[in-house]
Amino acid sequence: MKHIFFLLGFLCYKINCECDIEPPIKKDGGGVAGLIFVPGAKISGSAYLPLLRQIQEVYPGSLWVGATTEWFSDMPNPIEIGGQIRDCLSSASLQGLDTTNMFFGGHSLGGIVLENFISGQPELAQGIVLLGTWLPDLLRADNEFPVPVLTAIGELDGGGISYLRREWEETQALSVDKKTLTKTILVPQVNHGQVASGTMPESVVDNDIDGELTEEDAHRNYAIRVADWLVLHSFTTQQTDAAVRNFAQYERETLDFLEPFLAMRDLEKSGEYYSPFTADSQMSLLDTAVSDNIDVSNQIIDVLSFEVKQPYIEENPQTGSLTVNTLTYLTYDFDALDFNHHLSASTMKAKLKSADSIYSLLDLPLTDSFMPCADLNRKAMEIARSAASESALARLQERGRSLEFDADLEMGWGGVPWENSGSLTWSEKTPGKVNLRASRLTSGVNFPLYPGLQYCDLLSPYRALEWIYVESVRHKFQF
């Protein structure tokens, strides 16, 4: 315990840190402001100076910038950040720079540390810029914050792009007044590491996707969006109007990018308790000629209910139509840090009725067969491909991993229950070649205990889309 107190004491003593200050490029033009930046983990503060200089170049007013440096073990942390910001402000004042109109920015871990600090001292900031990071949903599920926030995530940010959909929706849920200055946007063709410059740590490279712009062009993509956001705060109507028009374009680009994610999310889960894809999968088990006589309902339920409930069929004696009631349990990644995971369900465990159980009620011939769950999962991938952008499909084609659907793992009615058998299994035994396997549990129409069932580990179309956009092309496979 004494070692912990020694470390804390050392950090508190060491809080007088260096800050790389760059004075304004422009001395007039209005909009005098300062921007202090907090680096990502294991990245030097000076690695952000090229980006900060580009922000100065495109910002129409007088902007000085500061990069915090000399963090303990190159890790931004809540103990040091107060001293880091204080020393940057003090250094700027000594150089005669105006510190009354201050903004703060952070990249990756630095953004998380920054937002936590500013949330407790909002009087310091006019707003904060989060690049490759966001307001985490660990203790809340909204983007309410005491000062305006710009959240900007690169299109090829392997550890972050999955979160853009959620952050965009949480921003859209804010009041109209707050959305005037709080924005969540995509930054096209850039990755996580390209917020900074130079060689990135291995952990950043592993999680990232190859950028499609040079470092300089990537910085400019980030910089023009940050500069436009700064303009929204303190300029004349003419200059602000231009920034508003630019942000309208950035927000259209963001929504265009997100439309496939929103559509696939809604197939996985519509509302709280219904999965359209599970219902569609039930219909996929059947010959299309009989589909007019059948309706399918679905209920998403918790794991305890899922273990004991069974799907069932209701018959309408007057019309002869059938309603098949299916069940879904969704499993998700364990995401303790709200970073570098996926928001789609890792597996959709679905309880369906077998085709023969339905045919028997319609007096149709039985097939004595079951459609492979792998075929249903291929359909999920086809749906995702049909929704994906041309650029995402081109990346998949040019440099993505291949995916093969293995034969189902057949489960038995004895031993470990299928409900507790785990999830879809992704494996990359050979670099660049991934195999996906589902488990399946079935029973014939004359099975004595639970007749006429087909249970499947289903691939969510949303997960399939995240495969296309993220896992097929990022450096280290992490499904």
Side-chain angles (χ1 to χ4, degrees):
M1 195 69 179
K2 65 181 181 180
H3 300 294
I4 296 175
F5 286 116
F6 173 78
L7 176 61
L8 293 176
F10 172 74
L11 288 174
C12 292
Y13 172 78
K14 184 193 161 295
I15 277 176
N16 285 320
C17 303
E18 295 183 13
C19 181
D20 290 339
I21 300 288
E22 298 270 337
I25 296 174
K26 308 177 184 73
K27 299 299 183 182
D28 53 19
V32 178
L35 174 62
I36 293 174
F37 205 83
V38 181
K42 299 298 182 181
I43 304 176
S44 166
S46 61
Y48 296 89
L49 290 175
L51 168 66
L52 295 174
R53 290 170 185 144
Q54 286 237 27
I55 296 172
Q56 287 181 303
E57 288 177 10
V58 295
Y59 181 71
S62 177
L63 177 70
W64 65 266
V65 296
T68 60
T69 61
E70 303 299 327
W71 294 86
F72 181 73
S73 193
D74 288 330
M75 293 289 287
N77 60 79
I79 297 173
E80 288 184 284
I81 187 167
Q84 290 276 8
I85 288 177
R86 181 195 67 209
D87 285 357
C88 270
L89 292 171
S90 177
S91 179
S93 294
L94 289 174
Q95 296 182 43
L97 301 174
D98 190 337
T99 60
T100 59
N101 188 32
M102 290 304 306
F103 297 85
F104 299 87
H107 176 219
S108 198
L109 176 63
I112 300 298
V113 173
L114 173 68
E115 65 87 13
N116 183 64
F117 176 75
I118 295 297
S119 68
Q121 302 189 61
E123 69 280 359
L124 294 177
Q126 298 298 313
I128 63 171
V129 177
L130 303 178
L131 303 182
T133 189
W134 45 89
L135 298 175
D137 277 20
L138 298 176
L139 300 176
R140 62 190 175 207
D142 59 58
N143 277 351
E144 295 286 348
F145 200 72
V147 299
V149 180
L150 172 64
T151 301
I153 301 175
E155 181 180 4
L156 303 173
D157 185 330
I161 200 60
S162 290
Y163 297 86
L164 179 63
R165 188 272 306 163
R166 184 193 73 193
E167 294 306 304
W168 178 84
E169 288 186 320
E170 291 179 0
T171 297
Q172 294 305 302
L174 297 173
S175 69
V176 173
D177 286 345
K178 287 192 174 183
K179 284 189 290 185
T180 302
L181 293 177
T182 290
K183 307 287 186 181
T184 295
I185 58 171
L186 174 80
V187 184
Q189 296 184 282
V190 300
N191 65 21
H192 188 79
Q194 287 179 309
V195 175
S197 59
T199 302
M200 291 296 103
E202 183 178 356
S203 59
V204 172
V205 175
D206 283 348
N207 293 329
D208 233 342
I209 301 166
D210 287 335
E212 296 171 344
L213 300 178
T214 65
E215 183 177 280
E216 182 178 358
D217 288 343
H219 287 163
R220 190 163 189 85
N221 251 12
Y222 281 112
I224 58 176
R225 288 160 174 81
V226 174
D228 277 332
W229 182 77
L230 294 174
V231 168
L232 294 178
H233 291 260
S234 57
F235 268 84
T236 65
T237 300
Q238 182 179 357
Q239 291 166 315
T240 301
D241 284 349
V244 169
R245 288 194 298 271
N246 289 341
F247 258 95
Q249 176 61 32
Y250 305 149
E251 289 171 324
R252 282 194 297 271
E253 291 173 349
T254 302
L255 180 56
D256 287 346
F257 176 83
L258 287 175
E259 281 180 345
F261 290 81
L262 295 167
M264 296 302 99
R265 185 276 312 275
D266 289 346
L267 282 179
E268 174 185 290
K269 183 179 182 181
S270 179
E272 289 297 313
Y273 303 109
Y274 177 66
S275 170
F277 184 67
T278 299
D280 290 346
S281 296
Q282 175 67 75
M283 295 302 294
S284 295
L285 300 181
L286 307 176
D287 188 302
T288 55
V290 303
S291 60
D292 291 341
N293 299 317
I294 297 170
D295 290 321
V296 177
S297 73
N298 175 259
Q299 186 179 14
I300 298 173
I301 57 179
D302 62 77
V303 64
L304 295 179
S305 299
F306 190 73
E307 289 177 353
V308 298
K309 289 189 174 182
Q310 309 300 327
Y312 62 95
I313 302 173
E314 294 177 293
E315 185 173 8
N316 187 322
Q318 295 179 334
T319 64
S321 64
L322 304 178
T323 299
V324 184
N325 298 279
T326 62
L327 301 169
T328 306
Y329 171 62
L330 302 177
T331 67
Y332 294 93
D333 295 343
F334 176 68
D335 192 2
L337 299 178
D338 202 45
F339 171 73
N340 199 37
H341 285 82
H342 309 85
L343 300 187
S344 61
S346 57
T347 301
M348 302 177 64
K349 295 189 80 70
K351 290 187 172 182
L352 312 174
K353 290 297 290 184
S354 70
D356 277 356
S357 69
I358 296 170
Y359 295 154
S360 65
L361 294 175
L362 297 174
D363 295 325
L364 295 173
L366 305 187
T367 64
D368 293 322
S369 65
F370 299 89
M371 177 182 287
C373 300
D375 287 356
L376 299 175
N377 293 336
R378 289 187 184 92
K379 181 180 178 182
M381 187 60 69
E382 290 168 3
I383 293 170
R385 289 180 68 97
S386 71
S389 68
E390 291 183 4
S391 57
L393 292 174
R395 292 183 199 108
L396 175 65
Q397 178 67 30
E398 293 167 8
R399 59 181 188 267
R401 297 173 173 87
S402 65
L403 178 63
E404 182 176 335
F405 293 85
D406 287 348
D408 298 342
L409 174 64
E410 297 288 349
M411 303 291 292
W413 286 94
V416 176
W418 172 83
E419 292 87 348
N420 305 119
S421 64
S423 304
L424 289 167
T425 303
W426 302 76
S427 58
E428 188 180 24
K429 297 177 182 177
T430 302
K433 296 181 179 180
V434 175
N435 293 71
L436 177 61
R437 191 178 199 186
S439 66
R440 182 178 77 165
L441 178 64
T442 60
S443 66
V445 293
N446 295 315
F447 190 71
L449 189 56
Y450 301 115
L453 301 179
Q454 177 161 349
Y455 295 172
C456 281
D457 287 341
L458 294 182
L459 172 65
S460 163
Y462 189 10
R463 193 72 160 190
L465 192 78
E466 291 192 314
W467 155 262
I468 293 169
Y469 279 78
V470 183
E471 287 305 326
S472 70
V473 289
R474 80 158 147 183
H475 295 144
K476 184 176 182 180
F477 179 68
Q478 297 182 43
F479 265 174

